[in-house]
Amino acid sequence: MAESTDPAPYRFTYQDIHRTVRSIAERIEASLWSPDLIVAIGSGGFIPARMLRTFLDRPILAVGVSYYDDEDRPTDNPRTVQWIEEAERKLGGKRILLVDEVDDSRSTLAYCVRELLRHAPAEVAVAVLHDKRKPKREELPPEVTRYWKGLEVEDRWIKYPWDAPDIDEHDALARGGDRP
Amino acid sequence: MAESTDPAPYRFTYQDIHRTVRSIAERIEASLWSPDLIVAIGSGGFIPARMLRTFLDRPILAVGVSYYDDEDRPTDNPRTVQWIEEAERKLGGKRILLVDEVDDSRSTLAYCVRELLRHAPAEVAVAVLHDKRKPKREELPPEVTRYWKGLEVEDRWIKYPWDAPDIDEHDALARGGDRP
C-alpha cells in the first residue's frame, strides 16, 4: 500500500503525449539531424514511436526487452525477447533513433544502445517522452551524443493513457492532476 | 484532388480507439478464449496492440509489412520487413492474436496469417479496430475461426489520431464528423 506521503502520480492524456512527441520531432528537425529508422523499445515505446513516425516519416523496427529469465524469474538484467532479423543488413551504417516512453534508471536504454552498437550503425540517438530527475543506475555509452527528452519530470510514478482500464476516468484525473 | 461527391472521412480520437479496443478485449474475454501472445502488424497495429495489452496482459511481438520491393518500387505483394527471430520457438504451439488497425482489402491480414501458420502455432486469431464493408481482395485462410472487429464501417478513408500533425485540430474535426 502506498504511504500517504507519496507524491501523486503524473497522469498524461494521449493528447499530452502526442503534443510532446511533436515537440521532440520539431527539435530533431531543427537540429538538422535525421534518422534513417526508428527503433521502438517494446512495449512502452510502441505508441510514442508510432506517433513520431507521423512527423519523421521513417520506418519503425521494434524490439522487446524483458526483465524475466527463461524460467520466468525476475532478473536485474534486461534481455531482448525480440530482436531484429537480418539486423546487420538493416542497421549497419544507419542513423538510428531509439525510442522509449521513460528514462527511469536508464538501464533499459543503455542495454538497447549497446545491443544496437554491435551492429555497426552510423549513429545511435535516443528520444524519450519523459526523463526522471534521479540518480541513474547506468550511463549511456559515450557513442550517444544526441538525446532528446520531451519533458524532464520529478521521480514520481507516471500513469500513461495506454495503461488505463477506463480512459475517461484517466482523462478526468489527468485534467485535475499535477503537471511537471 | 478529391471530388466533392466523395464521402467525408471517418475521424477517430485516441479515446474512441481506446474504447473500441476495450470492447474487443471484453468480447475476447467473454469468448473464454485467450491468446498466448499478441502479434502487431506495423505500423498501424502498434497502437491498438499496445492498448490491447493493457486488457489482455500478453506480450507483443511486432512484424513490419511493406508494399515496396528491395528497390523501393511499389508492389501488390506484401513483404515482411521485420520478422520474428527465433520465430519457431516462440510461435510453435502458441495461440496467437494478430492485430491491425483496419481490414481494408484483407490482403495484409491474409499474408500475415499465412506467414504465422508456417511456424505451426496452435491457433491464429485476428482482431482489427475497423472492418470496411467492401469486396475483399483475399480471404483469410480457413484456419482462422476467430475474428474480432471493433466496428464495421463504410468504405471511406479513415483518419487515425496518430496520423494527425495537429491533434487538437484532428479532435475538433472528429467531434463534428460522421460516425460509423
Side-chain angles (χ1 to χ4, degrees):
Chain A
M1 179 103 48
E3 293 182 27
S4 59
T5 52
D6 283 354
Y10 292 120
R11 287 185 177 84
F12 297 105
T13 66
Y14 282 115
Q15 285 76 9
D16 292 332
I17 303 294
H18 195 104
R19 285 187 216 105
T20 297
V21 167
R22 178 175 169 158
S23 95
I24 293 170
E26 287 171 349
R27 280 178 281 142
I28 292 173
E29 287 176 343
S31 78
L32 303 183
W33 183 85
S34 71
D36 296 308
L37 60 90
I38 296 167
V39 172
I41 301 179
S43 65
F46 281 6
I47 290 181
R50 179 57 191 82
M51 292 175 178
L52 201 53
R53 180 185 156 87
T54 290
F55 300 101
L56 301 182
D57 195 19
R58 287 296 180 280
I60 302 173
L61 295 179
V63 53
V65 173
S66 169
Y67 285 84
Y68 294 85
D69 67 15
D70 277 335
E71 275 82 46
D72 262 346
R73 290 173 303 215
T75 156
D76 278 348
N77 301 315
R79 193 173 65 85
T80 48
V81 293
Q82 175 181 15
W83 196 243
I84 293 155
E85 196 156 287
E86 311 166 72
E88 291 78 1
R89 188 168 70 81
K90 290 210 185 305
L91 302 180
K94 295 290 172 61
R95 294 184 303 271
I96 296 167
L97 181 62
L98 182 66
V99 176
D100 209 353
E101 90 277 48
V102 64
D103 180 348
D104 190 277
S105 72
R106 201 159 280 171
S107 295
T108 303
L109 286 169
Y111 173 77
C112 288
V113 170
R114 288 195 302 269
E115 287 291 307
L116 289 168
L117 288 172
R118 293 173 47 212
H119 301 292
E123 182 168 351
V124 180
V126 170
V128 295
L129 294 173
H130 302 119
D131 176 30
K132 289 188 179 176
R133 271 192 297 274
K134 64 191 289 185
K136 304 295 188 183
R137 267 183 44 195
E138 291 191 58
E139 285 307 309
L140 296 179
E143 288 90 342
V144 176
T145 60
R146 299 172 204 267
Y147 172 108
W148 289 278
K149 56 181 83 170
L151 293 170
E152 197 173 280
V153 300
E154 291 176 27
D155 184 15
R156 301 192 194 183
W157 189 19
I158 301 177
K159 295 199 157 200
Y160 289 99
W162 46 84
D163 287 323
D166 184 322
I167 192 61
D168 299 296
E169 181 182 82
H170 173 89
D171 284 0
L173 289 166
R175 279 191 292 273
D178 289 345
R179 294 287 150 153
Chain B
M1 178 111 38
E3 294 183 25
S4 61
T5 51
D6 282 355
Y10 292 120
R11 286 186 177 84
F12 298 104
T13 67
Y14 283 115
Q15 285 76 8
D16 292 332
I17 304 293
H18 194 104
R19 286 187 215 104
T20 296
V21 167
R22 178 175 169 159
S23 95
I24 293 170
E26 287 171 348
R27 281 177 282 142
I28 291 174
E29 287 176 343
S31 78
L32 304 181
W33 183 85
S34 71
D36 297 309
L37 60 90
I38 296 166
V39 172
I41 301 178
S43 65
F46 281 6
I47 291 183
R50 179 57 191 82
M51 293 175 178
L52 201 53
R53 180 186 155 88
T54 291
F55 300 101
L56 300 182
D57 196 20
R58 287 296 180 281
I60 301 173
L61 297 179
V63 54
V65 174
S66 168
Y67 285 83
Y68 294 86
D69 67 16
D70 278 333
E71 275 82 45
D72 261 347
R73 291 173 303 214
T75 156
D76 278 348
N77 301 314
R79 193 173 65 85
T80 49
V81 293
Q82 175 181 14
W83 195 244
I84 293 154
E85 196 156 287
E86 310 166 72
E88 292 78 0
R89 187 169 70 80
K90 289 211 186 303
L91 301 180
K94 296 290 173 58
R95 293 184 303 272
I96 296 166
L97 182 61
L98 181 67
V99 175
D100 209 354
E101 91 277 47
V102 64
D103 180 348
D104 190 276
S105 72
R106 200 160 280 170
S107 294
T108 303
L109 286 169
Y111 173 77
C112 288
V113 170
R114 288 195 302 267
E115 287 292 306
L116 289 168
L117 288 172
R118 292 173 48 211
H119 301 291
E123 183 169 349
V124 181
V126 170
V128 294
L129 294 173
H130 303 119
D131 177 30
K132 289 188 180 176
R133 270 192 298 274
K134 64 190 289 186
K136 304 296 188 181
R137 265 183 44 195
E138 290 193 59
E139 284 307 308
L140 297 178
E143 288 90 340
V144 177
T145 61
R146 298 170 206 269
Y147 173 107
W148 289 277
K149 56 181 84 170
L151 292 171
E152 199 173 278
V153 300
E154 289 175 27
D155 184 15
R156 301 192 195 183
W157 190 18
I158 301 178
K159 295 200 158 199
Y160 289 99
W162 47 84
D163 286 322
D166 184 322
I167 192 61
D168 299 297
E169 181 182 81
H170 173 88
D171 284 359
L173 290 167
R175 277 192 293 273
D178 288 346
R179 294 288 149 152

